[in-house]
Amino acid sequence: GPSAGDKMPAPLLLAALLSPAALLPRAAAPAGNALPAQRRARLPSMAAGGAADAADDEKLAKALKAMTGFANSYCKNTGTTYCSDPSIPAVVIKGLAEHKVVLGAPLCPCRHYEDKAAEAKDGYWNCPCVPMRERHECHCMLFLTEENEFAGDSQKLSVEEVVSHTESMGSVL
């Protein structure tokens, strides 16, 4: 894998967070609409409409508030900060919240999994993941140490900031 010294430019990182398949070789990328169809099947609000939409929106809003609060506390408790580009942590927090709703656990949204449910149950990649807890290494660039060139000064994002940075992107699932 990449060494600790490998750096991904922030715009490329953001593109990877928004569309991880964009970084895969063409042969490995899902064909046509296969991936979105799989995602729709797992999200009742996207298929059922009506009351399911409202219930899922409420669950996501609650999870987004919880994950934003968790991330803010974790930054403070570990002495880490968010990226200087607030859209980076916003995208990650939204992905964590969506995974919390769909999988029941805040599975890291920045990795590819063959079986997300199994990975969420295993817990290794649930935020904070084992590499973050053990070595302060956050693959997502959510929690940055001061020596990271992309580290900003902020340890706090509001739910409103997370929403404003992610509302036009749709689901990261």
Side-chain angles (χ1 to χ4, degrees):
S3 71
D6 292 345
K7 302 282 185 200
M8 183 180 290
L12 183 58
L13 174 70
L14 184 56
L17 291 173
L18 294 175
S19 178
L23 295 181
L24 296 175
R26 278 290 173 220
N33 203 20
L35 192 55
Q38 291 171 345
R39 291 174 181 168
R40 277 194 299 277
R42 288 197 317 257
L43 291 172
S45 68
M46 295 179 86
D53 280 343
D56 285 349
D57 287 349
E58 188 176 322
K59 287 179 187 172
L60 182 57
K62 184 177 178 181
L64 196 60
K65 181 178 180 183
M67 293 314 305
T68 302
F70 153 76
N72 288 339
S73 294
Y74 198 79
C75 273
K76 184 178 177 188
N77 293 338
T78 59
T80 56
T81 62
Y82 292 127
C83 183
S84 56
D85 176 351
S87 66
I88 301 289
V91 168
V92 176
I93 290 169
K94 181 177 181 178
L96 291 169
E98 289 181 347
H99 279 166
K100 186 134 176 74
V101 170
V102 174
L103 301 169
L107 183 67
C108 172
C110 302
R111 295 185 172 277
H112 170 76
Y113 308 98
E114 292 299 322
D115 183 344
K116 285 185 180 185
E119 291 288 349
K121 186 176 179 183
D122 176 63
Y124 187 91
W125 293 116
N126 291 346
C127 190
C129 65
V130 171
M132 180 62 204
R133 291 190 308 253
E134 290 181 353
R135 300 180 300 279
H136 281 192
E137 293 174 4
C138 181
H139 168 80
C140 299
M141 290 185 53
L142 179 57
F143 306 115
L144 301 178
T145 56
E146 65 183 25
E147 59 272 359
N148 187 299
E149 66 183 298
F150 298 109
D153 298 325
S154 177
Q155 292 182 312
K156 186 167 176 50
L157 278 175
S158 69
V159 174
E160 295 76 20
E161 288 173 299
V162 172
V163 169
S164 74
H165 285 293
T166 61
E167 63 191 344
S168 66
M169 68 177 257
S171 173
V172 296
L173 292 179

